[in-house]
Each structure stands twice: as C-alpha cells, then as structure tokens.
Amino acid sequence: MADAVPADAEAILAVKDACWREAYAHLLPPEFLAHGLGGDPQRTERWRQLLAHDAAGRFALVRRRGRVVGFAGAGPARAEDDPPRVDDLRELYTAYVLTEMYGTGAARAVVDRVLGRGPAILWVFEDNPRARAFYAKLGFAPDGAGKLDEIGGRRLSEIRLARQMPPEKV
C-alpha cells in the first residue's frame, strides 16, 4: 500500500478501465466499455494534475508484484452532492480493485487508508450488488439520496451510501 503520485496516473487509469469492464458489463454497452474509456491523453494529464495537488493521504494504491492492482481516493464531502451535515464528513470519490484481488482484503485496506474510520459517504450504481455488499461490510447503508447519471448513452441510477461514526471500543 502506498500513496499515489503523478507518475501512477497511467497505471491507475488502466486499473479503472479494467474494473469498469469487469464490474459494469451488465450496465454499459460493450462498445462503450471497449472504446469509450481510455485513449484520451488529456485524461491521463488530468489525473497527473489531480495526483500532484494535495494527493498525499487522499489517493492510495495497492501493488502486487510491482503492478498496480487497485486504488482509492477520498476527501471532504463535495457540497454539490448535498451531503448530510456531519462534522468531518469524508467522501469516497473512487475505489477499484481488479477481480484477481477480490477476497484478499486489498479493497478494504485501500479504502480504510484514504477514508479513515469516521463518518463518510459514497455514491454507487444502484444495480451493483457486489460493490453494495462490500460497502455494507464497511458499515455503509443507503441514506435515501439518489441521482441519475448518463454514461455510455445509458441513464444509470446511483444511490448514496453513508456510514456513521463507529462506536468507541471499551
């Protein structure tokens, strides 16, 4: 586990694209998944810039045998998503691990690293049972907020999941 740096942008995008193809094949058209994700040099540059500005502790990645196999990014809850009014509320912006890493604890570790254990929110496709089950194990549950997103020519429903502050250990 390590903090992500600008030089990791291409590897992170390769993981993200592979994960979209693995996780969203039932949601998005095959032609979009085959051609609509990568190939834009500006996309890589945007990620380099993102990782260059205040990325330490906000973006982390998992390597296996030197290869990036997962990553996550988090930060303050975004105001445009009308987050619940909770002190120090964080938002998980992105989290992906390759299927080869399922069940290894890598996803939990990378999410915990960027999110911490306090109150948090995230958005997930409503029709994504694997991700929803994973987040439920981390204490997240639907909070009633939802939105529609248009991706690849399809309108997809997203729901917001929220996690409250875990009880203190005695």
Side-chain angles (χ1 to χ4, degrees):
M1 195 89 46
D3 284 343
V5 297
D8 295 318
E10 285 184 50
I12 285 171
L13 287 171
V15 167
K16 183 176 183 180
D17 291 354
C19 289
W20 273 57
R21 289 180 185 104
E22 293 168 350
Y24 304 144
H26 69 291
L27 293 173
L28 295 168
E31 56 278 358
F32 174 79
L33 291 171
H35 305 293
L37 300 173
D40 176 7
Q42 293 178 350
R43 180 177 180 235
T44 303
E45 187 54 35
R46 281 191 304 272
W47 269 86
R48 281 191 187 108
Q49 293 297 318
L50 179 68
L51 295 172
H53 295 95
D54 196 28
R58 293 181 63 185
F59 288 88
L61 49 84
V62 178
R63 291 185 193 276
R64 183 176 192 193
R65 296 186 198 110
R67 180 175 65 103
V68 176
V69 293
F71 72 98
R78 296 175 285 192
E80 65 265 19
D81 288 333
D82 191 28
R85 290 179 173 82
V86 176
D87 289 340
D88 301 320
L89 182 66
R90 300 210 16 106
E91 181 173 353
L92 183 65
Y93 303 139
T94 185
Y96 293 101
V97 296
L98 298 175
T99 55
E100 69 190 67
M101 299 304 293
Y102 288 2
T104 67
R108 176 184 292 263
V110 76
V111 168
D112 284 349
R113 178 156 179 168
V114 299
L115 203 52
R117 297 298 309 153
I121 59 170
L122 62 90
W123 288 92
V124 64
F125 290 129
E126 188 170 17
D127 186 10
N128 191 346
R130 177 176 270 286
R132 291 181 62 184
F134 168 73
Y135 292 126
K137 289 179 188 175
L138 299 181
F140 286 89
D143 72 356
K147 63 183 177 180
L148 288 176
D149 219 352
E150 186 162 333
I151 301 172
R154 299 231 174 120
R155 292 181 61 87
L156 303 175
S157 176
E158 289 187 79
I159 60 172
R160 187 172 59 203
L161 305 181
R163 176 181 76 186
Q164 301 303 314
M165 181 68 89
E168 291 192 32
K169 295 181 181 177
V170 178

